[in-house]
C-alpha cells in the first residue's frame, strides 16, 4: 500500500485538514468588521506610499530655505521641516522605507523562524540546544537587542533588517515549534510515517499547513513591531541613514524642533500609529478566525 | 518550594551562559577590522593599536572568550573606550535612575491594565468594554518615544505643567522626582497597559465562566468577593506572564525614553555608547539587562507557584 | 401534605430570546421532604434549580410565575436580600466536583468564607466549624485536610467538600444538581448514603435534580417528571414506580433495565427532546408517544389527579383509560 493509498483512507482523510477549510474561514474573515477596517487602513497606506511619485506634492529631498519650519497650511498640508522640505512628501516616501523594512523582516523572520522551529519541534535531538539559544536571544528585550545589533553592524536598511530578524525570528521559532509538537502527536502523522513518507514530505504536507494559523497571526505581529522598531532605531541614530526619509528618521529630524515646529515629528508618528493600528486590527481578526485556542471568550 | 527554586535556577544557567556569549559575540559582528571601525577614520596607528590591546583583539578568539568570562566572574565588564572608567561602575551608578523610572511605569501598568481589563470583562460587550478595548489597541499601536515627544510638547511646552526633561532623584526631592518621571513613565506605560488590559479581560472572561465562580455566587457571596478573591486570584498566571514580557519592553522602552526626556539612566548611557560606538559599554549594558531579564523570568516562574498551588505541588 | 411547603414553585416560565425553556412549571417541596426532579437532558431540570437560586445566566429571563420560599417570593427580592438567602437558607451542590471548587483556595478557606460572610463568625471559630463540617461529611483526618487544595483531593472527596460548604449554614433547602453523576459507581453510593443520612440529621428539604431513576428510587420521597420544560407527572416515589401514569414516565422506566425480575432488554424512548425553536403544539411529548390520540397534537393536556399527590398531564389518564 502506498502513501497515497493510506492518506486516501477515509479515517485518515477525516483527520487531515483539507484545503477547502480555508474558504469558510476566508468568508468569516471578510465579514469580520475589525479585520476589514484594519485591512482598508493598511491598503490605503500602502497605496499612498506606492503612489508617492504621483501624489506627493514635492520632492522629499528638495530643500527650500524660504519655507523653513513652516506650519501646516494649504500648500504644505503637514508643514515643512528645518530644511524647508515638505513633510507630507517625506512621510509618503518615508513610508516606502519603513514598510519595506517591515515586510522584509516579516519574510526573513518567518523563513528562519519556521526553519528553526520545525527543526526543533520535529527532530528532537536538535530541540534542546536550538531552543536554549532562542531562549537566550529572547531574554533580551526585543528593541534593545535590535539597537545593539544595528549599532554594531552599522546603519543601513539591510543591517536594520538583519538586526530585527535576529530579534524576532526566535519568537516565530517558538510558536512554530509548539505547533509542530502538537501536530506531531496526531495520528495522521503516524499514518503517513507508517506509509513510509519521508521527513520533508511529512513536514511540508502535514506539519506546516497546521502551523499556518498561529504563524499568520505572528506575521502580523512582527509586521507591527518591526514598523515600531524601525522608528526606534532611526530615532536613536542606527536606522536607515539620511537623507533617505523613513518614518522613524523624520520623527528624529523633528525632535530638536518640538517646541517651535512640533508638526515635523507629529505627523509621521501619527501615520505610524494608524498603520500599526491597522495591522493590529487585522491580527486580532486573523486570531479570531484562525486560532480558536487563543479565543478566550468563555461560554 | 525549595526544590522548585533550585530547579528553576539550574535551568537558568545555560541561558545565562548563552546570554553572556551573545554579548561577547557582538564584537565579531563589527564589519571588517573592528578596531579601525570603532576608532574612526581619523585614528592614528598608535590609537588603533591601543584599542586593539584594550579590546584584546590581538589575541586568539578562545583567549578573548576566556578573558571575557574570567572578568565576568570578577564582576568586571571591561573599560569604556570613551568614558575612561569601568563599564560596571558606569552602569551601576545609573541603574537606580532607570529602575525608578521603569518601576513607576510598571505600577501605572498594573493599576490601569488590571483595573480597566477587569471593568471591561465585567461590562462585557457594553460601550465601556468597547471603549477600553479600542483604547488598549490604540495604545499598543503607538510608538512610545513619539508619545513622549508629544507629551513634552503638550504638557511641558504648551501647558508648562512639567519640565521638558532632566531627572531629580526620589531621595533628593520626591516632588521633583514625580515632576521629572511622570510624563516618561506614562508614555512608557501606555502600550503595556493596553497589553495587560487585553490579557486581563480575556483571562477574566474565561475564569468568570468557570464552575467554581458559579459555586461562589451560590454561596451568596457579594460581587466584590467573588470578583476580587475568587476570580482575580485565578488570572494571576496569565497576568504574570504578560508582566514578565512587559517588564522587558518597559526596560527597552526606557532606553529610548531616557534620551527623549534627557534622563541620565542606563538607557541614556547605552544610547550615547551606540552613537559613539563605545563597544564595551554596549556589550556590558546588553549583558546587564539580559541577566536582569533572566532574573525577572525566574521571579515570574516562582510567583506562579506562589499564586497557584497546582504549580507549587507539581513534581 | 401536613405543613406548608418549604419551596413552592408556581407557574414558573423562563425564556431565551422569546423561546420558552420552562413553561408553567409548578411543584412544591415539603418540610423535610426529598423531591426528585427527573427528565432527559434538555427537559429543564437544571434551569428549575438555577431559577430557585436566582442564578440564571443573563440571557435567560423569568417571564412569569412565583418561587415561594417559606412564603416569600424569591423573584421579588432585591439582589442583596437574595444573597442573604443564597448559601445560607438555600444551598446548592453541583454536578462537577472536579471544577466546582476554586483551585487556588484551600478547602478550609472555601468553607470558612461562607461562615464568616453569613454568620459573621470570627475566622478561628469558623475554622473550627469547618473541621466539624469536614468530619460530618466523613472526610478522614479533617483537621489536616482543611489546608489542602482541591487538586489534592479525589473526585468523591471534592464532592464531600462541596456538600460541607453547602451545609455550612444548615440550610432549610438543599438543591442537589446531579450530585453523583460525575462520580465512580462505588463513590456514588457512598455520597448518596451520606446525603441521605445528613438530610435526616439536619431535617433539610432536598430538591434532587437527576436523570437517574435509580438515585430517585433510593433517595426521593416524591418525584416530579419534567419533559421539554413542562411537568409531565408528579407522584409519590412508590406510586411512580408501581403505576407510572404518563407515557413519558413509562418510557423512562422501561429504558432502565429492571434489577429484580426477569432480565428484559431496556427499551429507550425513540426520538429525542425537541429543540426549543420547534416545540410541537399540544402535548409536547406527542410526536414520540406510542399511544397519542388526535387531541394530543392540538390541545395541551391539563393535570388530572389520579390518587392523593399523584397527578399527570396526559389526556389518556383524564379519559380514565390509563394506558
Amino acid at each position: 500500500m502506498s502513501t497515497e493509498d493510506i492518506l486516501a483512507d477515509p479515517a485518515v482523510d477525516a483527520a487531515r485538514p483539507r484545503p477547502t477549510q480555508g474558504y469558510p474561514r476566508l468568508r468569516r474573515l471578510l465579514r469580520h468588521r475589525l479585520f476589514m477596517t484594519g485591512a482598508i487602513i493598511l491598503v490605503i497606506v500602502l497605496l499612498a506610499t506606492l503612489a508617492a511619485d504621483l501624489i506627493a506634492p514635492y520632492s522629499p529631498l528638495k530643500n527650500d530655505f524660504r519655507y523653513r519650519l513652516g506650519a501646516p497650511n494649504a500648500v504644505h498640508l503637514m508643514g515643512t521641516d528645518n530644511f524647508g522640505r515638505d513633510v507630507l512628501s517625506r512621510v509618503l516616501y518615508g513610508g516606502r522605507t519603513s514598510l519595506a523594512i517591515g515586510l522584509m523582516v516579516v519574510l526573513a523572520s518567518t523563513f528562519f523562524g519556521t526553519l528553526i522551529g520545525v527543526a526543533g519541534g520535529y527532530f528532537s535531538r536538535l530541540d534542546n540546544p536550538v531552543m536554549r539559544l532562542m531562549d537566550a536571544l529572547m531574554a533580551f528585550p526585543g528593541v534593545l537587542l535590535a539597537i545593539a545589533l544595528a549599532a554594531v553592524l552599522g546603519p543601513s536598511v539591510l543591517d536594520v533588517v538583519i538586526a530585527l530578524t535576529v530579534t524576532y525570528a526566535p519568537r516565530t521559532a517558538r510558536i512554530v515549534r509548539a505547533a509542530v509538537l502538537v501536530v506531531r502527536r496526531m495520528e495522521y502523522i503516524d499514518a503517513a510515517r507508517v506509509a513510509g513518507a519521508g521527513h520533508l514530505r511529512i513536514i511540508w504536507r502535514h506539519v506546516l499547513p497546521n502551523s499556518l494559523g498561529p504563524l499568520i497571526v505572528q506575521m502580523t505581529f512582527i509586521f507591527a513591531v518591526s514598523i515600531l522598531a524601525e522608528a526606534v532605531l532611526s530615532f536613536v541614530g542606527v536606522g536607515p541613514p539620511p537623507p533617505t526619509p523613513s518614518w522613524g528618521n523624520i520623527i528624529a529630524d523633528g525632535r530638536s524642533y518640538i517646541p517651535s515646529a512640533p508638526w515635523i515629528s507629529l505627523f509621521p508618528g501619527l501615520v505610524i500609529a494608524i498603520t500599526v493600528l491597522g495591522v493590529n486590527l487585522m491580527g486580532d481578526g486573523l486570531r479570531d478566525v484562525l486560532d480558536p485556542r487563543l479565543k478566550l471568550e468563555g461560554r | 518550594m525549595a526544590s522548585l527554586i533550585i530547579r528553576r535556577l539550574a535551568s537558568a544557567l545555560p541561558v545565562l551562559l548563552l546570554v553572556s556569549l551573545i554579548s561577547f559575540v557582538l564584537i565579531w559582528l563589527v564589519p571588517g577590522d573592528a578596531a579601525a571601525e570603532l576608532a574612526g577614520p581619523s585614528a592614528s596607528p598608535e590609537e588603533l593599536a591601543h584599542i586593539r590591546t584594550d579590546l584584546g583583539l590581538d589575541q586568539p578568539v578562545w583567549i578573548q572568550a576566556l578573558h571575557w568570562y574570567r572578568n565576568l566572574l570578577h564582576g568586571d565588564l571591561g573599560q569604556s573606550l570613551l568614558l575612561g572608567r569601568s563599564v560596571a561602575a558606569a552602569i551601576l551608578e545609573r541603574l537606580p535612575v532607570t529602575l525608578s523610572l521603569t518601576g513607576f511605569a510598571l505600577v501605572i501598568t498594573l493599576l490601569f491594565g488590571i483595573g480597566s481589563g477587569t471593568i471591561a470583562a465585567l461590562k462585557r460587550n457594553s460601550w465601556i468594554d468597547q471603549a477600553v478595548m479600542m483604547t488598549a489597541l490604540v495604545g499598543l499601536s503607538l510608538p512610545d518615544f513619539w508619545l513622549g515627544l508629544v507629551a513634552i510638547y503638550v504638557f511641558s511646552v504648551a501647558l508648562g505643567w512639567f519640565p521638558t526633561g532632566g531627572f531629580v532623584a526620589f531621595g533628593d526631592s520626591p516632588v521633583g522626582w514625580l515632576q521629572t518621571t511622570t510624563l516618561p513613565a506614562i508614555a512608557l506605560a501606555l502600550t503595556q497597559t493596553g497589553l495587560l488590559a487585553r490579557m486581563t479581560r480575556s483571562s477574566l472572561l474565561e475564569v468568570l465562566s468557570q464552575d467554581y465562580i458559579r459555586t461562589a455566587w451560590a454561596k451568596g457571596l457579594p460581587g466584590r468577593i467573588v470578583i476580587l478573591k475568587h476570580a482575580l486570584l485565578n488570572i494571576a498566571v496569565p497576568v504574570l506572564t504578560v508582566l514578565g514580557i512587559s517588564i522587558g519592553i518597559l526596560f527597552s522602552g526606557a532606553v529610548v525614553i531616557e534620551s527623549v526626556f534627557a534622563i541620565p539612566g542606563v538607557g541614556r548611557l547605552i544610547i550615547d555608547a551606540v552613537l559613539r560606538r563605545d563597544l564595551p559599554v554596549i556589550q556590558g549594558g546588553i549583558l546587564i539587562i539580559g541577566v536582569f531579564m533572566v532574573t525577572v523570568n525566574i521571579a515570574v516562574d516562582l510567583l506562579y507557584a506562589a499564586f497557584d498551588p497546582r504549580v507549587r505541588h507539581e513534581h | 401534605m401536613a405543613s406548608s411547603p418549604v419551596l413552592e414553585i408556581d407557574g414558573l416560565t423562563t425564556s431565551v430570546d422569546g423561546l420558552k425553556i420552562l413553561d408553567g412549571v409548578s411543584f412544591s417541596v415539603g418540610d423535610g421532604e426529598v423531591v426528585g426532579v427527573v427528565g432527559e437532558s434538555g427537559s429543564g431540570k437544571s434551569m428549575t434549580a438555577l431559577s430557585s437560586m436566582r442564578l440564571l445566566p443573563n440571557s435567560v429571563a423569568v417571564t412569569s410565575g412565583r418561587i415561594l420560599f417559606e412564603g416569600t417570593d424569591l423573584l421579588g427580592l432585591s439582589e442583596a436580600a437574595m444573597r442573604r438567602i443564597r448559601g445560607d437558607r438555600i444551598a446548592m451542590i453541583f454536578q462537577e466536583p472536579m471544577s466546582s471548587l476554586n483551585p487556588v483556595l484551600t478547602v478550609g478557606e472555601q468553607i470558612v468564607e461562607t461562615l464568616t460572610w453569613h454568620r459573621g463568625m470570627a475566622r478561628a471559630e469558623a475554622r473550627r466549624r469547618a473541621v466539624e463540617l469536614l468530619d460530618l461529611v466523613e472526610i478522614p483526618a479533617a483537621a489536616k485536610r482543611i489546608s489542602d487544595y482541591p487538586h489534592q483531593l479525589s473526585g468523591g472527596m471534592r464532592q464531600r467538600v462541596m456538600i460541607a460548604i453547602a451545609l455550612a449554614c444548615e440550610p432549610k433547602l438543599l438543591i442537589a444538581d446531579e450530585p453523583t453523576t460525575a462520580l465512580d459507581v462505588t463513590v456514588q453510593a457512598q455520597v448518596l448514603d451520606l446525603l441521605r443520612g445528613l438530610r435526616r440529621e439536619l431535617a433539610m428539604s432536598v430538591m434532587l435534580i437527576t436523570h437517574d431513576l435509580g438515585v430517585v428510587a433510593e433517595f426521593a420521597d416524591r418525584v416530579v417528571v419534567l419533559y421539554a420544560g413542562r411537568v409531565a407527572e408528579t407522584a409519590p416515589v412508590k406510586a411512580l414506580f408501581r403505576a407510572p401514569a404518563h407515557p413519558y414516565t413509562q418510557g423512562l422506566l422501561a429504558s432502565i433495565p429492571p434489577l429484580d425480575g426477569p432480565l428484559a432488554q431496556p427499551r429507550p424512548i425513540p426520538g429525542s427532546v425537541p429543540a426549543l425553536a420547534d416545540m410541537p403544539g399540544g402535548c409536547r411529548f406527542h410526536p414520540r408517544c406510542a399511544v397519542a390520540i388526535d387531541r394530543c397534537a392540538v390541545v395541551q393536556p391539563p393535570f388530572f389527579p389520579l390518587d392523593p399527590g399523584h397527578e399527570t398531564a396526559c389526556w389518556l389518564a383524564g379519559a380514565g383509560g390509563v394506558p
Side-chain angles (χ1 to χ4, degrees):
Chain A
M1 204 148 102
S2 74
T3 313
E4 296 304 333
D5 289 339
I6 289 227
L7 293 178
D9 181 84
V12 175
D13 206 43
R16 186 170 60 193
R18 258 156 298 199
T20 50
Q21 275 187 337
Y23 300 127
R25 288 181 185 177
L26 188 65
R27 265 203 302 278
R28 274 185 60 201
L29 210 52
L30 293 178
R31 276 201 308 264
H32 200 287
R33 235 178 54 232
L34 293 179
F35 174 85
M36 286 312 289
T37 313
I40 290 168
I41 291 175
L42 191 64
V43 166
I44 291 175
V45 173
L46 274 174
L47 286 181
T49 53
L50 286 176
D53 291 329
L54 301 174
I55 60 175
Y58 301 94
S59 153
L61 303 176
K62 197 184 114 235
N63 300 350
D64 189 341
F65 288 97
R66 288 171 304 168
Y67 299 112
R68 264 188 96 234
L69 304 176
N73 57 33
V75 189
H76 297 285
L77 289 175
M78 293 184 181
T80 56
D81 70 4
N82 49 321
F83 294 105
R85 295 176 297 196
D86 179 54
V87 174
L88 173 60
S89 303
R90 285 184 66 73
V91 167
L92 286 170
Y93 280 98
R96 291 183 173 180
T97 318
S98 300
L99 294 174
I101 288 176
L103 213 57
M104 284 191 279
V105 174
V106 169
L107 294 178
S109 59
T110 302
F111 177 77
F112 290 108
T114 305
L115 210 64
I116 297 167
V118 166
Y122 196 82
F123 304 106
S124 37
R125 220 179 299 170
L126 278 174
D127 194 29
N128 205 14
V130 168
M131 281 303 138
R132 285 296 81 74
L133 182 62
M134 297 300 116
D135 285 348
L137 281 171
M138 279 190 289
F140 301 103
V143 173
L144 198 60
L145 181 63
I147 289 175
L149 287 170
V152 174
L153 291 169
S156 77
V157 169
L158 185 65
D159 291 324
V160 169
V161 171
I162 294 174
L164 290 176
T165 301
V166 173
T167 304
Y168 294 116
R171 287 158 173 80
T172 302
R174 190 184 262 187
I175 287 171
V176 170
R177 172 180 172 270
V180 169
L181 285 180
V182 171
V183 175
R184 221 167 63 118
R185 280 186 221 113
M186 290 182 182
E187 283 172 12
Y188 60 90
I189 297 294
D190 290 338
R193 192 176 294 133
V194 167
H199 288 312
L200 277 179
R201 187 186 172 79
I202 292 177
I203 289 169
W204 187 251
R205 289 274 310 261
H206 305 297
V207 176
L208 283 184
N210 275 283
S211 319
L212 213 56
L215 198 58
I216 290 175
V217 175
Q218 174 71 1
M219 286 167 78
T220 63
F221 169 77
I222 291 183
F223 191 50
V225 293
S226 299
I227 293 172
L228 290 172
E230 181 279 321
V232 173
L233 295 189
S234 294
F235 185 74
V236 303
V238 293
T244 312
S246 78
W247 286 339
N249 68 22
I250 304 172
I251 299 179
D253 289 344
R255 181 185 171 182
S256 323
Y257 304 96
I258 285 292
S260 54
W263 50 85
I264 306 174
S265 294
L266 179 71
F267 288 110
L270 267 183
V271 173
I272 292 177
I274 291 169
T275 309
V276 174
L277 180 65
V279 177
N280 281 337
L281 284 170
M282 290 176 71
D284 276 10
L286 284 165
R287 186 174 324 196
D288 280 352
V289 174
L290 295 177
D291 206 351
R293 279 167 308 152
L294 291 173
K295 219 181 155 192
L296 302 168
E297 283 289 299
R299 264 190 275 224
Chain B
M1 191 72 188
S3 82
L4 185 76
I5 295 174
I6 291 169
R7 270 181 300 134
R8 188 59 188 81
L9 288 177
S11 76
L13 272 181
V15 176
L16 277 177
L17 275 177
L18 284 167
V19 162
S20 52
L21 188 66
I22 292 169
S23 322
F24 168 67
V25 159
L26 278 180
I27 198 161
W28 297 345
L29 297 179
V30 179
D33 178 0
E37 189 69 24
L38 296 174
S42 57
S44 64
E46 292 79 38
E47 282 175 310
L48 268 183
H50 190 67
I51 287 183
R52 229 172 241 130
T53 343
D54 268 8
L55 296 178
L57 290 173
D58 47 356
Q59 311 269 343
V61 168
W62 65 273
I63 300 255
Q64 289 180 40
L66 216 62
H67 275 287
W68 167 257
Y69 277 105
R70 197 194 59 200
N71 290 344
L72 275 189
L73 288 179
H74 293 97
D76 179 3
L77 297 175
Q79 291 288 314
S80 160
L81 295 178
L82 299 163
L83 301 174
R85 59 187 299 203
S86 101
V87 173
I91 291 176
L92 281 183
E93 179 188 290
R94 286 155 173 257
L95 204 56
V97 177
T98 304
L99 285 178
S100 79
L101 175 62
T102 44
F104 190 12
L106 188 63
V107 170
I108 297 174
T109 303
L110 275 173
L111 284 180
F112 288 88
I114 295 181
S116 62
T118 304
I119 291 168
L122 295 180
K123 304 272 173 191
R124 184 183 177 188
N125 294 339
S126 69
W127 67 268
I128 299 177
D129 179 21
Q130 289 180 357
V132 168
M133 283 305 105
M134 207 55 218
T135 313
L137 196 66
V138 170
L140 270 176
S141 310
L142 296 176
D144 46 16
F145 70 92
W146 173 77
L147 202 63
L149 292 174
V150 173
I152 288 179
Y153 179 73
V154 175
F155 296 104
S156 305
V157 177
L159 296 172
W161 292 354
F162 294 93
T164 53
F167 180 77
V168 178
F170 187 82
D172 295 343
S173 156
V175 176
W177 178 78
L178 213 57
Q179 280 177 335
T180 50
T181 52
T182 299
L183 286 186
I186 290 176
L188 266 181
L190 195 73
T191 57
Q192 298 316 300
T193 305
L195 193 68
L196 188 58
R198 281 158 61 101
M199 189 46 124
T200 302
R201 175 183 181 273
S202 60
S203 311
L204 197 56
L205 281 179
E206 195 189 331
V207 165
L208 286 176
S209 70
Q210 298 293 314
D211 291 334
Y212 54 80
I213 295 298
R214 188 183 57 187
T215 306
W217 289 119
K219 287 178 181 176
L221 299 173
R224 59 172 192 279
I225 294 185
V226 176
I227 303 302
L228 295 180
K229 181 171 164 185
H230 287 263
L232 282 185
L233 271 183
N234 274 288
I235 63 166
V237 168
V239 163
L240 281 170
T241 307
V242 170
L243 268 191
I245 298 168
S246 287
I247 290 174
I249 300 178
L250 287 178
F251 233 88
S252 59
V255 167
V256 183
I257 282 283
E258 281 178 5
S259 15
V260 172
F261 285 88
I263 293 172
V266 179
R268 186 87 180 289
L269 183 74
I270 294 177
I271 295 302
D272 287 348
V274 162
L275 290 175
R276 295 151 73 183
R277 311 204 79 187
D278 188 348
L279 200 64
V281 174
I282 300 178
Q283 286 180 301
I286 277 283
L287 176 65
I288 293 281
I289 291 176
V291 171
F292 176 75
M293 285 314 300
V294 171
T295 319
V296 167
N297 285 331
I298 296 175
V300 164
D301 283 1
L302 295 181
L303 279 175
Y304 285 162
F307 275 99
D308 194 327
R310 286 164 297 185
V311 179
R312 197 152 62 231
H313 295 123
E314 212 171 70
H315 284 293
Chain C
M1 225 168 302
S3 55
S4 65
V6 168
L7 184 79
E8 190 176 353
I9 296 177
D10 178 17
L12 181 65
T13 303
T14 63
S15 60
V16 170
D17 297 334
L19 299 169
K20 284 181 184 174
I21 303 181
L22 296 181
D23 185 10
V25 168
S26 301
F27 66 89
S28 60
V29 182
D31 196 1
E33 190 183 29
V34 177
V35 173
V37 178
V38 297
E40 292 162 282
S41 52
S43 60
K45 299 169 304 205
S46 292
M47 192 61 65
T48 309
L50 290 173
S51 302
S52 312
M53 288 291 277
R54 288 245 321 250
L55 284 177
L56 289 171
N58 288 336
S59 53
V60 183
V62 174
T63 39
S64 65
R66 296 184 305 166
I67 300 176
L68 298 174
F69 174 70
E70 296 183 319
T72 319
D73 186 2
L74 296 179
L75 298 177
L77 290 180
S78 70
E79 178 55 30
M82 189 61 216
R83 228 186 276 137
R84 282 193 288 276
I85 291 179
R86 226 184 258 144
D88 186 1
R89 311 296 300 135
I90 309 178
M92 184 161 176
I93 54 181
F94 298 95
Q95 181 174 356
E96 306 85 4
M98 303 313 271
S99 55
S100 291
L101 290 170
N102 194 321
V104 302
L105 300 174
T106 61
V107 299
E109 174 59 28
Q110 298 188 52
I111 303 174
V112 163
E113 67 176 354
T114 314
L115 292 165
T116 51
W117 172 248
H118 284 298
R119 290 290 141 90
M121 276 189 196
R123 288 193 60 88
E125 187 192 357
R127 213 176 150 77
R128 270 195 300 280
R129 174 82 182 121
V131 177
E132 284 171 26
L133 283 161
L134 289 183
D135 251 344
L136 186 69
V137 296
E138 294 165 16
I139 289 183
K144 245 188 225 155
R145 299 272 97 164
I146 198 159
S147 350
D148 277 1
Y149 288 92
H151 72 273
Q152 293 166 293
L153 303 175
S154 68
M157 284 297 151
R158 288 189 212 187
Q159 195 61 305
R160 287 168 193 267
V161 172
M162 281 300 293
I163 296 171
I165 292 173
L167 299 184
C169 298
E170 300 182 9
K172 192 70 202 149
L173 173 68
L174 176 69
I175 301 176
D177 188 356
E178 306 266 8
T180 59
T181 306
L183 304 173
D184 293 343
V185 182
T186 49
V187 182
Q188 272 187 18
Q190 291 166 7
V191 169
L192 212 56
D193 278 347
L194 175 71
L195 277 175
R196 198 164 27 202
L198 286 171
R199 79 102 183 183
R200 209 171 299 131
E201 208 172 308
L202 302 172
M204 282 184 302
S205 306
V206 178
M207 185 201 293
L208 173 72
I209 312 285
T210 181
H211 69 280
D212 186 342
L213 284 167
V215 172
V216 167
E218 271 190 64
F219 190 18
D221 302 318
R222 222 148 48 76
V223 187
V224 175
V225 180
L226 282 184
Y227 182 79
R230 286 181 188 162
V231 175
E233 180 166 4
T234 313
V237 69
K238 286 208 182 79
L240 188 93
F241 281 89
R242 199 185 329 112
H246 198 284
Y248 176 60
T249 317
Q250 294 163 0
L252 279 182
L253 287 170
S255 68
I256 50 168
L259 287 174
D260 44 0
L263 260 175
Q265 274 301 323
R267 285 168 288 126
I269 311 170
S272 57
V273 181
L276 273 186
D278 42 22
M279 277 296 169
C283 171
R284 287 182 166 180
F285 185 62
H286 84 264
R288 298 172 72 188
C289 184
V291 293
I293 54 176
D294 291 347
R295 194 197 292 169
C296 297
V298 191
V299 193
Q300 181 184 345
F303 282 98
F304 296 103
L306 303 169
D307 292 307
H310 190 173
E311 51 180 26
T312 184
C314 177
W315 287 115
L316 294 172
V322 177

